[in-house]
Amino acid sequence: MARLGSWIEPFPEGIYVKPADAWVDPSRPKAQALVTHGHADHARGGHGAVWATPETLAIMETRYGEQAGRPVQYDDSVRIGEVDVGFVPAGHVLGSAQIVLEYGGERVVVSGDYKRRPDPTCAPFVVVPCDIFITEATFGLPVFRHPDTGSEIDRLLHRLHAEPERCVLVGAYALGKAQRVIMELRGRGHDEPIYYHGAMERLCALYDELGVPLGDLRPATGASKQELAGKIVICPPGALNDRWSRRLPDPITAMASGWMRIRQRARQRNVELPLVISDHADWDELTQTIREVAPKQVWITHGREDALMHWCMTHQIKARELNLVGYEDEDE
Ligand SMILES: [Zn+2]
Ligand SMILES: [Zn+2]
């Protein structure tokens, strides 16, 4: 009998599915690509044909222009070559999917990036039992335990109300994190206009269009200091300390990221109000997910793989590092 998963071949540039002649999240243009979600380190432009959820394809088209898209809805499957390919929610960002590959009586799940806690902008992660579970390990160390998201949002609102003459400037990745922070604020009753940096505009409009109602959003550019006092402004992390932010009324600098758990990272970015809000599984979510999926093998794509490898071994699960390149975790 062939070795388990011998039909899946990891390369530094992506995961090659031989009997489908297709690549999962390739970092270089390929004739046939299967894409888990729209973050730039997973979804590149220029592929011959791209299978992804309709939401992911819409995000790719917003960023890269027209795609040779082959939309697959959640829980539908298509046959590519000799492989049955399905897309199942990953709970990471709008449209994010785990890709379920079935061939020769084996099932392999490529999870892409994922998280387990609720996110008002996307469908929750679905557990799919399988033979090989291919997982990320961005926060694959026991020190990473993300706090409750609601309490982080409450800290943000508290600070906003405590200093009404200032604004709170929140650095958040433009795809996923920004919209999630907005929706979490809305869910906690914050109905005020929220102001955004120009780089967020198209993706926020797309989320609205795809059924995630972000409420009253306004461009920060052109708004007066007076108008922005006591308001929340969202920008990409890169704009937190640049010239752009000087037009704001004495901003309280915040950043929403799983990395804010590390004080040094917050200091590096001059972040006054670090918000630990992550779109990736923390240590408990990673290990809980592996327990529930109960695979024979775990393959780890990127992140801090050592501790998770060790955890798998002590739980009698064979584990392997794939060392894929180009997954930057910028999205965190
Ligand atoms: Zn991602
Ligand atoms: Zn990623």
Side-chain angles (χ1 to χ4, degrees), residues 37 39 41-42 92 113 280 302 327-329 331:
H37 67 286
H39 280 143
D41 51 337
H42 297 259
H92 175 58
D113 293 338
H280 291 265
H302 63 301
Y327 292 173
E328 305 290 342
D329 304 314
D331 51 330

Side-chain angles (χ1 to χ4, degrees), residues 57-185:
L57 288 171
I59 290 164
M60 291 177 73
E61 286 182 351
T62 300
R63 298 185 133 180
Y64 308 126
E66 206 181 323
Q67 300 292 307
R70 310 276 191 277
V72 186
Q73 302 276 357
Y74 285 139
D75 303 325
D76 272 1
S77 71
V78 287
R79 192 159 176 101
I80 304 174
E82 300 163 56
V83 183
D84 288 313
V85 180
F87 288 73
V88 170
H92 175 58
V93 295
L94 181 63
S96 67
Q98 307 170 70
I99 297 179
V100 181
L101 304 162
E102 290 183 287
Y103 171 75
E106 294 177 6
R107 184 190 287 155
V108 175
V109 172
V110 185
S111 65
D113 293 338
Y114 65 99
K115 69 174 175 294
R116 301 300 303 273
R117 54 191 74 204
D119 178 338
T121 68
C122 65
F125 183 95
V126 172
V127 170
V128 180
C130 58
D131 300 295
I132 298 175
F133 184 58
I134 304 185
T135 181
E136 55 141 325
T138 303
F139 292 111
L141 285 175
V143 297
F144 289 112
R145 291 202 158 87
H146 305 324
D148 173 61
T149 309
S151 66
E152 298 298 284
I153 296 293
D154 285 345
R155 287 201 301 119
L156 165 55
L157 288 171
H158 181 80
R159 194 63 195 272
L160 179 74
H161 298 141
E163 294 183 77
E165 71 289 350
R166 303 177 71 185
C167 71
V168 179
L169 176 62
V170 184
Y173 194 77
L175 168 59
K177 188 66 60 66
Q179 296 79 16
R180 182 175 172 212
V181 167
I182 293 166
M183 286 299 279
E184 295 280 2
L185 284 162

Side-chain angles (χ1 to χ4, degrees), residues 259-277:
W259 296 116
M260 290 297 103
R261 175 78 176 65
I262 301 176
R263 275 169 207 281
Q264 199 187 344
R265 293 239 189 173
R267 269 202 304 269
Q268 270 165 11
R269 288 190 181 265
N270 291 320
V271 171
E272 212 179 312
L273 180 64
L275 303 169
V276 187
I277 300 176

